[in-house]
């Protein structure tokens, strides 16, 4: 199958929406990362997502809508806290988990009786979903275990020959996935940290719990966001550059080819060691992380040493992604 990349003209969007109606898969941009879309109401189409991505069947898919009203097509009820969150963060990088309607197959929800829904804050995504006139389920458009794609070329690298079309919407704003909040209980529970921080959620709905133990997004169980290179995460502390340099030198002595991911203003602490500057602050670090992990592979580095960050604000979500990418290897 030939995979074509399309400019997001209205004509192309209409054409590509027809593919969705015909049970094909289409990658499209959102403000977080690129999604791999399918008709959420078609078993045949949803099966293709799992096949193409190599995704475990018990990992549910987020259903994307183009208006809060559409949520009622797939969810049984819309409790007060969900409404509050929707009023504030939709469209936006928030997924809310609600009790599902029977119209959705177990395939979409991984056998759960809930569904995650989200309305992306991206003009191309909204126009595309609107043209489909269907709920569109979409995981991130990477192969399972790989870093999520934040530009169309990343999608092409993973999906070439597997899907017919990619809508090119340029670079994603956030570069990190949506925050997932379960609102089926009395107190909202964050199942996956993401582009919206817990503090921002609390400012809107008051008490918000963090998932503990077994209660998590099912996807949290699996290996994730991993480039080919090995990723080592540094613990965060003032002098972390010292141990990062030691590790780097040790690797070079062992004939490895490491690179350090660091904030721009810290670059000079690493002397003439190979570095990649990920941005001026945590938001930019989060925005660029997945792209740099892929870039490190392209440039032939075999080890990425990533600077740690403070566990606050967007730093919390960033740590989550860094720990996953590194498979928990902390130095
Ligand atoms: O920003 C995003 O959320 C992106 C864009 C494309 O919208 N999507 C995304 O999808 O990150 P994916 O499939 O890569 O991650 C979805 C996560 C998985 O960890 C899955 O287990 C969880 O959402 N999830 C989906 N439905 C759920 C549900 N009903 N209950 C709990 N977790 C759910
Ligand atoms: Mg994903």
């Amino acid at each position: 199958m030939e995979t074509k990349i399309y400019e997001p003209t209205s004509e192309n969007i209409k054409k590509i929406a027809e593919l969705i109606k015909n049970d094909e898969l289409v990658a499209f941009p959102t403000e977080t990362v690129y999604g791999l879309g399918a008709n959420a109401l078609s078993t045949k189409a949803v099966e293709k997502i799992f096949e193409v991505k190599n995704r475990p069947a018990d990992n549910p898919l987020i259903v994307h809508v183009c208006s809060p009203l559409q949520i009622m097509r797939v969810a049984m009820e819309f409790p007060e806290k969900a409404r509050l969150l929707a009023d504030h963060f939709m469209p936006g990088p928030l997924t809310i988990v609600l009790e599902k309607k029977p119209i959705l197959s177990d395939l979409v929800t991984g056998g759960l009786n809930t569904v995650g829904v989200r309305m992306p804050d991206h003009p191309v995504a909204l126009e595309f979903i609107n043209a489909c006139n269907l709920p569109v389920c979409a995981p991130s458009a990477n192969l399972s275990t790989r870093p999520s794609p934040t530009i169309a070329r990343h999608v092409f690298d993973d999906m070439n020959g597997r899907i017919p079309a990619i809508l090119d919407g340029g670079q994603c704003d956030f570069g990190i996935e949506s925050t997932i909040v379960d609102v089926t209980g009395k107190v909202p529970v964050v199942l996956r940290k993401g582009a919206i921080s817990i503090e921002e959620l609390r400012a809107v709905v008051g008490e918000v719990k963090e998932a503990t133990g077994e209660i998590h997004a099912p996807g949290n169980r699996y290996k994730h966001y991993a480039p080919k290179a090995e990723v080592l995460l540094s613990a965060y502390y003032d002098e972390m550059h010292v141990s990062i340099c030691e590790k780097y030198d040790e690797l070079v002595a062992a004939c490895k080819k490491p690179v350090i991911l660091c904030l721009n203003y810290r670059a000079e602490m690493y002397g003439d060691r190979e570095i990649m500057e990920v941005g001026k602050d945590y938001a930019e670090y989060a925005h660029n992380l997945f792209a740099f992990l892929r870039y490190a592979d392209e440039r032939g580095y075999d080890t990425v040493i990533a600077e740690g960050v403070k566990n606050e604000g967007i730093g919390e979500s960033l740590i989550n992604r860094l720990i996953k990418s590194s498979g928990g290897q902390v130095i």
Side-chain angles (χ1 to χ4, degrees):
M1 178 187 298
E2 190 187 357
T3 303
K4 284 196 189 152
I5 301 184
Y6 293 87
E7 286 302 313
T9 60
S10 288
E11 201 183 310
N12 282 344
I13 290 176
K14 282 201 196 90
K15 192 159 128 188
I16 284 173
E18 288 306 311
L19 290 173
I20 292 286
K21 291 179 196 165
N22 288 325
D23 293 340
E24 296 290 347
L25 305 186
V26 170
F28 63 99
T30 81
E31 79 281 35
T32 56
V33 300
Y34 275 73
L36 181 63
N39 176 358
L41 305 180
S42 156
T43 308
K44 188 174 160 204
V46 179
E47 273 171 356
K48 282 188 187 169
I49 289 190
F50 286 90
E51 205 177 289
V52 155
K53 269 195 68 128
N54 245 332
R55 183 178 176 103
D58 63 351
N59 192 3
L61 304 171
I62 294 172
V63 174
H64 294 62
V65 296
C66 60
S67 80
L69 271 180
Q70 264 198 342
I71 292 175
M72 294 318 293
R73 279 182 82 174
V74 294
M76 287 297 262
E77 52 183 357
F78 209 31
E80 185 55 30
K81 297 253 160 90
R83 247 170 245 280
L84 263 177
L85 288 169
D87 283 349
H88 265 83
F89 297 109
M90 287 191 183
L94 181 74
T95 296
I96 53 177
V97 171
L98 298 162
E99 201 184 321
K100 76 158 192 160
K101 276 208 171 125
I103 189 177
L104 277 183
S105 72
D106 274 352
L107 210 56
V108 175
T109 60
L112 300 175
N113 62 357
T114 56
V115 57
V117 282
R118 117 171 178 84
M119 177 180 172
D121 187 12
H122 195 294
V124 176
L126 293 175
E127 192 180 337
F128 164 65
I129 299 164
N130 190 38
C132 294
N133 196 21
L134 286 163
V136 174
C137 58
S140 48
N142 51 282
L143 292 176
S144 274
T145 77
R146 303 259 301 140
S148 303
T150 56
I151 54 173
R153 190 177 51 80
H154 295 161
V155 180
F156 187 81
D157 289 345
D158 281 15
M159 294 295 157
N160 185 18
R162 296 171 188 249
I163 61 172
I166 301 169
L167 261 177
D168 188 349
Q171 197 175 7
C172 301
D173 283 346
F174 288 93
I176 189 168
E177 299 86 348
S178 63
T179 301
I180 303 180
V181 187
D182 183 336
V183 283
T184 57
K186 232 170 150 191
V187 178
V189 182
V190 172
L191 300 180
R192 177 179 73 182
K193 293 175 182 175
I196 296 175
S197 69
I198 295 187
E199 289 90 329
E200 286 173 280
L201 296 176
R202 289 193 176 129
V204 173
V205 282
E207 190 183 3
V208 172
K209 283 193 206 151
E210 285 186 46
T212 48
E214 287 299 292
I215 320 156
H216 272 292
N220 280 3
R221 285 198 292 269
Y222 299 105
K223 185 178 171 197
H224 251 109
Y225 317 123
K228 294 192 186 85
E230 187 172 23
V231 180
L232 305 175
L233 170 62
S234 166
Y236 173 85
Y237 59 101
D238 285 346
E239 300 297 310
M240 66 180 161
H241 64 281
V242 177
S243 50
I244 290 176
C245 287
E246 268 172 28
K247 189 70 198 176
Y248 180 102
D249 295 344
E250 201 180 286
L251 287 164
V252 169
C255 297
K256 293 278 202 179
K257 194 165 186 279
V259 64
I260 298 165
L261 294 191
C262 65
L263 288 178
N264 301 358
Y265 74 94
R266 299 171 52 87
E268 62 191 35
M269 297 179 181
Y270 299 105
D272 56 7
R273 294 173 182 84
E274 305 252 335
I275 58 163
M276 286 181 177
E277 296 180 35
V278 287
K280 67 174 184 315
D281 54 24
Y282 289 175
E284 288 191 4
Y285 193 168
H287 177 260
N288 295 325
L289 175 68
F290 294 145
F292 273 113
L293 293 178
R294 285 176 180 261
Y295 190 46
D297 282 344
E298 283 164 27
R299 299 210 20 208
Y301 294 109
D302 54 30
T303 315
V304 174
I305 311 177
E307 281 190 338
V309 296
K310 274 191 219 167
N311 195 19
E312 60 185 36
I314 197 67
E316 278 198 58
S317 309
L318 186 50
I319 289 180
N320 168 279
R321 302 304 187 270
L322 286 165
I323 289 178
K324 291 251 162 198
S325 302
S326 67
Q329 295 194 83
V330 179
I331 58 166

